[in-house]
Amino acid sequence: MRRSALALLVAFVLAGTTAALSAAAPAPRFSLPGIPNPGVNMRAPEIGKYGGTYIISQISDPRTFNPIVVQDTASGAVTGAFADGLVEQNYLTGEIEPSLAESWSVSPDGRTWTFTLREGIVWSDGQPLTTADVEFSAKAIFTPGVDNSFRNLLTFRGEPVRWRVLDRRRIQFMTPRNQPPVGLFLRFIGFPIVPKHKLEAALNAGGQQFTQSWGINANPRDIVGSGPFVLQSYTPGQRVIMLRNTRYWKVDRQGQRLPYLTRYVILVVPNTEAARLKFLARETDAYGARPREFAELKALERQHNFTIYDGPETFTREFLVLNQNPNAPISKTKVAWFSDVRFRRALAHAIDQQTIINQVYAGRATPPTSDVSVGNTLYYNRNLRPYPYDLNRAQQLLAEAGYRKGPDGVLRDAQGNVVEFTIVTNAGNQDREAIGNIVRQDFVKLGIRATFTTEAFPSLVSKLTGTYNWEAIIIGFTGGIEPCTARNLWLSSGDLHMWNPNQKQPATAWEAEVDRLFEQCGTEVDQNKRKAILARFQEVVYENLPMLYFPYVKTQPALRNTIGNVKLGLQGVTGELDTRYFKGAYRP
């Protein structure tokens, strides 16, 4: 389950000019006090009941409560419950629909977008939410020193989107030169809106001050939002407690104000096994089961009063990335190894993907090829074939690159340096830990002195995005059906272009090609041409392997049978937070 402010799924295709577009599905008209046109959640199959505490778990603490600077899922799980954007994604279809904006229109040349906010919506503290807040949020995104991923999404061929406030409810965004396709731009513009009256002073003090604002030590009373819940408390290493936002702007199909739940709690647990045990002990209501647990949990459904669903492959990619950053504080010799595509291809051939599928995922996964999951039936390039597990081919590639395995069984480069490096992943993720051990053993077979270790997720993210002091990391990225939205990852200038981030000019020819492909993808309106662009993108990634992918994993969400409005959507999402409810007796 997730609320998606920044949508990442399927794009609309628009031929010719457009005007007065509205993606709203037909819905009954209701009103709330002061809000003549609230949002109506038409996706929930049932009318719910009020009350109850819904509890989930996650294995990492949030790093920030500032929605603009969030770059990790643990923080996003919190901010996604209290921060909304102008538009939102339909979790069932991937389409973009109105959110804080009740409608929008686009000029005939496709470059000027006018969004109209719902009348009367307010922040959780009762202050009006206006276009001044939208303008402020956009300004924050483009303020130097504000660490965020939205800037890349809203910059086209080096030119940022511009904006103009028309009045308290209407704001225009102007794209430079080439216009992105309608659906794609709407995904780009779905950034979270934050309150000017709470954060203006921090932004006036500078980008760094804004980035640090609403940190995990902030007073929850100072954090206000527009989503279904508001932050009540956070206890590090234990839990986040959120309360129902009584000023939320959405209703159900009978006009009742949402959400139904009184509380939403996120428990912080040390690892996935602890998450499983808490679910079986009925201390939590939902659990994202690991593939190897599917059969076991299926047998326990009746006894523990839950259902585990056989979902599709996730779009999330798990991978090993090697540090190619010349400015990273690690050995330049190692950067040279990691920057050699022959070295990376050799490692790809040395990874036994089938063993990972069998031992880690109990057969519930598909061998990988590139950055787009096989679950993405719209864009997955079926012409690519997984790198076969072939140690002879791996050794051949290493030999061509000048590496030699000595009588002692140790691999050395052409200068005689022992090839050794450390692989790290986040502690508590048992699947990644299992993969790390398998991969380390695979690399040792080549004569590489590979070490595997774990550390806390916040520390890992800080190294990836801040200090760059790492050698090899196993981590994952969430994603959607529309790969072009991952600009902060794939553009060479991106801050999450983790193997060599924030490049002023592409360091390699293939990265320059990916830059071009992403700019084309961001402006191409012909769907078939977009498919061709993304097919080529996958080929480039497949050939150059900036990340060594692990199998595409099937989803198997488990949910307590007492929970209502369960409907399986894209990537195994089981419903939406604002329409969750307890069918019978509930936890107070």
Side-chain angles (χ1 to χ4, degrees), residues 384-537:
L384 300 178
R385 295 289 178 269
Y387 278 72
Y389 176 56
D390 187 338
L391 291 179
N392 289 333
R393 178 57 181 155
Q395 290 169 340
Q396 181 183 3
L397 286 166
L398 290 171
E400 291 172 4
Y403 296 86
R404 294 289 183 272
K405 194 173 182 179
D408 56 359
V410 175
L411 189 71
R412 291 176 172 80
D413 65 14
Q415 288 71 44
N417 298 301
V418 171
V419 179
E420 56 186 350
F421 56 87
T422 298
I423 305 166
V424 61
T425 194
N426 55 303
N429 187 314
Q430 295 178 341
D431 288 348
R432 289 180 187 166
E433 292 176 4
I435 290 173
N437 282 313
I438 292 171
V439 168
R440 187 197 69 80
Q441 293 171 18
D442 288 337
F443 293 169
V444 167
K445 294 172 185 173
L446 296 177
I448 295 173
R449 287 180 175 173
T451 303
F452 174 64
T453 187
T454 64
E455 60 183 76
F457 186 67
S459 171
L460 206 63
V461 174
S462 295
K463 288 182 176 179
L464 269 174
T465 61
T467 68
Y468 311 127
N469 188 12
W470 55 277
E471 295 177 349
I473 285 181
I474 293 174
I475 200 165
F477 257 126
T478 58
I481 204 168
E482 180 51 73
C484 290
T485 55
R487 293 166 63 87
N488 56 340
L489 169 61
W490 284 107
L491 291 180
S492 59
S493 58
D495 60 334
L496 287 181
H497 193 77
M498 62 190 81
W499 56 93
N500 189 4
N502 303 315
Q503 299 174 34
K504 293 182 178 179
Q505 298 293 330
T508 63
W510 72 264
E511 287 172 297
E513 182 175 4
V514 169
D515 282 359
R516 289 193 297 272
L517 291 169
F518 262 66
E519 293 297 354
Q520 292 172 17
C521 182
T523 56
E524 178 55 63
V525 298
D526 185 294
Q527 181 71 349
N528 288 328
K529 291 181 180 178
R530 291 171 53 71
K531 287 183 178 179
I533 290 169
L534 288 167
R536 176 56 189 159
F537 157 68

Side-chain angles (χ1 to χ4, degrees), residues 171-184:
I171 185 170
Q172 287 183 333
F173 286 89
M174 289 76 73
T175 61
R177 297 184 303 191
N178 303 306
Q179 71 278 20
V182 173
L184 196 55

Side-chain angles (χ1 to χ4, degrees), residues 114-117 131 164-172:
T114 304
F115 292 86
T116 301
L117 291 177
T131 49
R164 175 173 56 207
V165 171
L166 301 181
D167 53 41
R168 286 171 60 85
R169 291 182 57 206
R170 293 182 303 149
I171 185 170
Q172 287 183 333

Side-chain angles (χ1 to χ4, degrees), residues 321-325 328 330 334-335 338 468 470-471 498-499:
V321 60
L322 305 169
N323 196 342
Q324 304 177 45
N325 184 351
I330 66 172
K334 295 183 180 181
V335 171
F338 301 154
Y468 311 127
W470 55 277
E471 295 177 349
M498 62 190 81
W499 56 93

Side-chain angles (χ1 to χ4, degrees), residues 245-264:
N245 177 7
T246 57
R247 297 185 170 96
Y248 189 46
W249 52 272
K250 267 189 182 179
V251 298
D252 64 17
R253 285 181 288 109
Q254 290 185 352
Q256 302 179 100
R257 193 193 288 265
L258 297 172
Y260 298 123
L261 297 166
T262 301
R263 290 182 186 80
Y264 172 45

